[in-house]
Amino acid sequence: MIRIPIARWQKWLRPKRLAAVILGSMITAIGGLLLICYLMGPPPMTNKWSTTFYANDSTILGEQYGNTQKRWVALDEVSPHLIHATILAEDKNFYKHHGFAWKRIFAAALQDIKAGAKVEGASTITQQYAKNLYLTNDKTWTRKFKEAIYGIRLEMFYSKDEILEGYLNTIYYGHGMYGIQAASDYYMDKDPGSLTAAEAALLAGIPKGPSYYSPFQNKELADERQEYIYGLLEDEGYITEPESLPAVSLSTEQERETVRRAGYFQDYITDELADVLEMDEDQAATAGYHVYTTMDSDQQLKLETQIADTIPADTELQTGAIAMDPDTGAITAMVGGTDYKASTYNRATTSKRMPGSAFKPFVYYTALINGFTPMTQLRSEETTFELPDGGEYAPGNFHGYYANDEITMVEAIAMSDNIYAVKTNLMIGAEKIAADAKKLGITSELQAVPSLALGTSPVSVEEMGVAYSRIANGGKQVESYTIEKIVDRNGKTIYSHKPQKKSKLDKKRLFVLTDLMTGMFDDSLSSYMRVTGASIKDQLSRPYAGKSGTTTTDSWMVGFSPDLVTAVWTGYDNNRSMEKVKELAYSKEIWAGFMEAAHQGEPIKAFRPPAGVRGMFVDPDSGFLSTSYCEKRRFTYFVRGTEPKLYCRPDLDEYPLHHDQEEPMNRRKRWFDWLF
């Protein structure tokens, strides 16, 4: 055993020599720490960058910073009152120290030792900024040491103004507001550059305890702290003419409850951004991307306004609506519900509901490519269909109205005759119709049953928008999308949308279908029922094609001009029946009002027929070419070679049809009517 003489210990325990050893050790430790910090280099001023969304005119649509909005503002964009108030409230010696307030630290340490835990805070603005950027809120000595390391590095490599700017852009102000821009917008409804001394004193007091000093949660405490900070501004001479604390005009409840612009649209963009870049949403929202989107700001506002003006605020009725460019699939406007703040569930993209008669255009497209023409006639009457499995199916028309006679396809679409649609489905085959609906853009599962013709298989509003876009554009296989281009924070374009140009659909028959779909607004086609668009036709100033759909729980209106497709659904989330007649009309009113507003000031365009299509005047009742003897006359398009060959005349009953002039589908139709 080695023994050290006591005299030797006493030599080192002499006060001066002991102090020198301790001081030398401290200098060595501090020097080593500073060297390590220097070698680590400057820490990033932010560990996350806000991702910015731009509308299609390059104006800022919104910004995402994780799950919050955040706008970085330069220090010279912030009111001097707010800068002074923040420094006085949080760290009055900020510009004098090197990141640490030693007196405050020692005082806090004594309190911690007495309590036996880390309870007292003594952080400077630099330390708070370091904590906001890199650390958690745990009150532990380990976290405090890490905070010191980051604080040293910040002070070593950045100026005081840069640190203060970063702090003001990351500090939490309560109510989900991070950064002075968000806080100023939320509490004052103004930019931080125009804050008064009184407003600055109020805002500067909140970060110390956001749940305690928010004027919307505890006005008395907020007022006391505001008065205290305002007094500090006076004492330091930052208020040149001292006066009593002026009143502050806070934002109204309506302004505070105004959720970020186009919330449903931005959620969709965030989802698409994550999918395109193959990363999670939080990563995408905090990577500093500049995302250029398809949103038309004017159309978005008009769609939101039209919905708000149509659906009463005191109802639980919901809506989903999408507007698209049919030529590209670009979504230009989107609303997923009546109140984003109350429910962020997007009924335009996520919810699936029965489309009702809005599905019928898909039925008639298949019919047109399988021998039907606009003049093909089937009998409209109360019918019970016997099914191959021995069952029966007895669909009915609206209010039990039937022609009790033969009607043409152009009439069947315009008046939405259910019997005609189901007969067509049975003649052509539900499997073929389901397959063609898929080609048109319906991705949901479709039940190949007789009722498919009446839209009993649920689909989304977005799917309907895509399918109608492919009808409108002549069969181009567009897909819905919202992101045109993504640019990273270094200015490099990392993604550009590539349009689809291939087509697997019959362009000529899609145009004939489009022409047939204009009939819902043509009151000359009304007979045993009025055309389904009669209630809104007087609101329309240009050619549109469309189809409405109604079930006991769902109301749809989907239609288009040559430049814009809009799909609208209304109903209750719990599938409650819509018993009020006016509720069933909301989807049409929203569609008509928005389409007219969206086209305001735009030149009127007609649907342009492709080569191989011929237009002529026909009698929609008889199916013959029109003459002066016909009661009705409508200009209708046909694929060349399928147009009627005979003319309407008074002795029609005695006017024989030659066998070679009889259309093949008419022969099939007569066989079908005999069978049923």
Side-chain angles (χ1 to χ4, degrees):
M1 182 175 180
I2 299 174
R3 296 180 178 274
I4 299 176
I6 294 177
R8 190 174 177 182
W9 274 107
Q10 289 176 337
K11 178 181 178 181
W12 283 102
L13 291 173
R14 290 172 184 174
K16 289 184 178 180
R17 190 165 294 191
L18 179 62
V21 171
I22 294 173
L23 181 61
S25 299
M26 291 178 62
I27 292 174
T28 301
I30 292 173
L33 179 63
L34 292 175
L35 178 61
I36 291 172
C37 289
Y38 179 79
L39 293 175
M40 292 176 70
M45 289 296 285
T46 177
N47 63 340
K48 295 181 178 181
W49 293 263
S50 57
T51 287
T52 307
F53 299 140
Y54 299 88
N56 63 3
D57 59 357
S58 294
T59 59
I60 292 178
L61 163 61
E63 291 180 281
Q64 289 284 296
Y65 185 82
N67 292 323
T68 66
Q69 296 181 81
K70 180 179 177 295
R71 175 81 63 81
W72 190 284
V73 291
L75 197 62
D76 59 10
E77 296 178 285
V78 179
S79 165
H81 294 306
L82 190 280
I83 293 173
H84 298 319
T86 298
I87 291 173
L88 291 173
E90 296 294 331
D91 184 4
K92 67 179 181 180
N93 294 314
F94 172 70
Y95 280 99
K96 298 177 182 178
H97 61 62
H98 295 287
F100 303 94
W102 296 110
K103 291 183 179 179
R104 291 168 61 188
I105 290 173
F106 290 140
L110 289 175
Q111 294 296 324
D112 295 341
I113 292 171
K114 290 179 182 179
K118 181 76 187 70
V119 295
E120 186 71 18
S123 296
T124 62
I125 283 177
T126 302
Q127 290 172 281
Q128 291 183 60
Y129 183 35
K131 183 185 70 174
N132 292 342
L133 285 180
Y134 316 111
L135 305 167
T136 66
N137 290 317
D138 297 337
K139 289 188 175 182
T140 63
W141 290 106
T142 301
R143 197 271 295 164
K144 200 68 178 175
F145 177 74
K146 291 179 180 178
E147 179 184 297
I149 296 296
Y150 282 115
I152 292 171
R153 293 172 64 198
L154 286 171
E155 290 279 347
M156 186 178 288
F157 291 101
Y158 296 105
S159 70
K160 286 290 187 177
D161 283 352
E162 288 175 317
I163 293 170
L164 181 60
E165 179 179 305
Y167 171 82
L168 289 174
N169 280 283
T170 56
I171 197 68
Y172 183 55
Y173 285 90
H175 300 283
M177 301 296 120
Y178 287 86
I180 188 57
Q181 177 69 58
S184 185
D185 285 340
Y186 183 78
Y187 289 100
M188 309 298 173
D189 192 32
K190 64 194 309 185
D191 286 328
S194 57
L195 293 170
T196 66
E199 292 167 341
L202 179 63
L203 288 181
I206 295 174
K208 185 176 179 65
S211 60
Y212 293 102
Y213 298 117
S214 164
F216 302 131
Q217 287 185 285
N218 196 323
K219 193 172 188 308
E220 185 177 350
L221 283 178
D223 288 345
E224 289 177 4
R225 184 153 175 78
Q226 177 197 24
E227 187 174 356
Y228 165 71
I229 296 174
Y230 191 80
L232 295 177
L233 289 170
E234 288 183 321
D235 294 342
E236 294 296 325
Y238 292 125
I239 299 176
T240 55
E241 297 181 3
E243 57 182 23
S244 60
L245 179 63
V248 169
S249 178
L250 296 171
S251 60
T252 65
E253 183 176 358
Q254 181 179 0
E255 290 166 339
R256 293 195 304 277
E257 289 184 353
T258 299
V259 187
R260 72 180 191 270
R261 183 180 173 195
Y264 296 105
F265 206 120
Q266 288 201 47
D267 285 349
Y268 188 97
I269 296 168
T270 303
D271 290 341
E272 186 175 338
L273 179 63
D275 289 341
V276 165
L277 300 178
E278 297 182 346
M279 59 176 61
D280 63 46
E281 291 182 18
D282 187 63
Q283 285 179 305
T286 58
Y289 294 122
H290 296 273
V291 183
Y292 295 86
T293 78
T294 60
M295 196 194 88
D296 185 304
S297 301
D298 183 57
Q299 287 186 19
Q300 180 67 31
L301 178 60
K302 287 175 177 176
L303 182 58
E304 292 174 354
T305 301
Q306 186 62 46
I307 288 172
D309 291 346
T310 303
I311 299 178
D314 59 352
T315 180
E316 295 180 359
L317 194 74
Q318 284 292 346
T319 188
I322 277 183
M324 299 173 61
D325 180 339
D327 195 51
T328 64
I331 298 175
T332 55
M334 176 192 295
V335 173
T338 56
D339 185 350
Y340 181 83
K341 183 176 182 297
S343 171
T344 60
Y345 180 68
N346 194 331
R347 296 157 187 84
T349 61
T350 307
S351 181
K352 293 187 178 184
R353 306 293 291 247
M354 291 189 293
S357 293
F359 188 86
K360 288 177 181 175
F362 313 146
V363 177
Y364 294 128
Y365 169 68
T366 304
L368 288 170
I369 62 177
N370 281 276
F372 276 66
T373 79
M375 295 297 105
T376 297
Q377 294 181 318
L378 296 176
R379 189 170 183 83
S380 168
E381 62 186 355
E382 188 173 359
T383 307
T384 298
F385 297 94
E386 295 182 5
L387 305 179
D389 62 1
E392 293 183 344
Y393 178 50
N397 276 350
F398 183 68
H399 286 326
Y401 295 150
Y402 303 94
N404 292 315
D405 199 353
E406 292 187 343
I407 61 172
T408 56
M409 183 189 286
V410 66
E411 293 176 312
I413 294 179
M415 293 180 285
S416 199
D417 190 280
N418 288 339
I419 303 301
Y420 192 108
V422 174
K423 284 185 176 181
T424 303
N425 183 21
L426 291 172
M427 292 177 70
I428 300 301
E431 292 81 5
K432 289 183 179 180
I433 291 170
D436 286 333
K438 294 284 186 181
K439 293 177 184 178
L440 282 164
I442 300 299
T443 58
S444 295
E445 182 180 353
L446 300 175
Q447 297 295 322
V449 294
S451 63
L452 175 64
L454 305 186
T456 53
S457 291
V459 296
S460 72
V461 174
E462 184 178 10
E463 288 175 80
M464 294 295 281
V466 170
Y468 275 60
S469 290
R470 294 183 183 182
I471 294 173
N473 69 29
K476 189 187 300 183
Q477 298 290 91
V478 296
E479 300 289 349
S480 56
Y481 74 100
T482 60
I483 297 177
E484 293 284 7
K485 181 175 67 172
I486 302 171
V487 179
D488 67 17
R489 61 179 181 272
N490 298 315
K492 180 181 178 182
T493 299
I494 61 173
Y495 170 82
S496 292
H497 176 74
K498 295 180 180 179
Q500 299 288 331
K501 294 185 177 181
K502 61 182 180 180
S503 177
K504 297 180 181 179
L505 302 169
D506 190 315
K507 185 175 184 179
K508 293 180 287 187
R509 284 171 174 81
L510 284 173
F511 180 81
V512 171
L513 177 62
T514 295
D515 180 55
L516 292 173
M517 292 167 66
T518 65
M520 73 170 291
F521 308 113
D522 185 354
D523 225 347
S524 70
L525 294 174
S526 298
S527 59
Y528 63 98
M529 288 191 291
R530 287 198 74 185
V531 292
T532 53
S535 62
I536 57 173
K537 70 180 184 65
D538 291 339
Q539 302 176 39
L540 308 179
S541 62
R542 63 188 63 226
Y544 295 108
K547 189 72 190 73
S548 58
T550 304
T551 72
T552 57
T553 58
D554 306 278
S555 178
W556 292 75
M557 179 61 209
V558 192
F560 52 90
S561 70
D563 297 321
L564 186 65
V565 171
T566 300
V568 181
W569 165 86
T570 57
Y572 290 95
D573 284 340
N574 61 0
N575 283 304
R576 195 171 90 205
S577 296
M578 288 184 286
E579 298 175 352
K580 298 178 181 178
V581 175
K582 63 180 181 180
E583 291 180 338
L584 295 172
Y586 288 155
S587 61
K588 290 180 184 176
E589 292 174 12
I590 292 169
W591 183 89
F594 168 71
M595 289 294 276
E596 282 295 294
H599 287 88
Q600 188 173 11
E602 296 294 323
I604 295 176
K605 293 183 180 180
F607 296 106
R608 298 180 62 181
V613 171
R614 180 184 181 188
M616 56 186 60
F617 285 101
V618 296
D619 172 16
D621 285 344
S622 68
F624 290 117
L625 295 173
S626 177
T627 68
S628 59
Y629 299 108
C630 301
E631 292 185 11
K632 295 181 179 180
R633 187 170 185 259
R634 187 177 194 273
F635 193 79
T636 304
Y637 284 94
F638 300 83
V639 174
R640 285 189 177 273
T642 67
E643 62 270 21
K645 302 297 190 299
L646 304 178
Y647 288 89
C648 172
R649 49 185 289 173
D651 57 341
L652 186 62
D653 290 339
E654 288 134 25
Y655 190 77
L657 280 174
H658 296 293
H659 183 73
D660 58 351
Q661 292 177 316
E662 186 178 11
E663 298 177 51
M665 187 48 61
N666 282 340
R667 295 198 297 272
R668 290 181 61 186
K669 177 266 299 181
R670 292 212 295 232
W671 172 84
F672 183 84
D673 285 346
W674 173 83
L675 182 63
F676 286 97

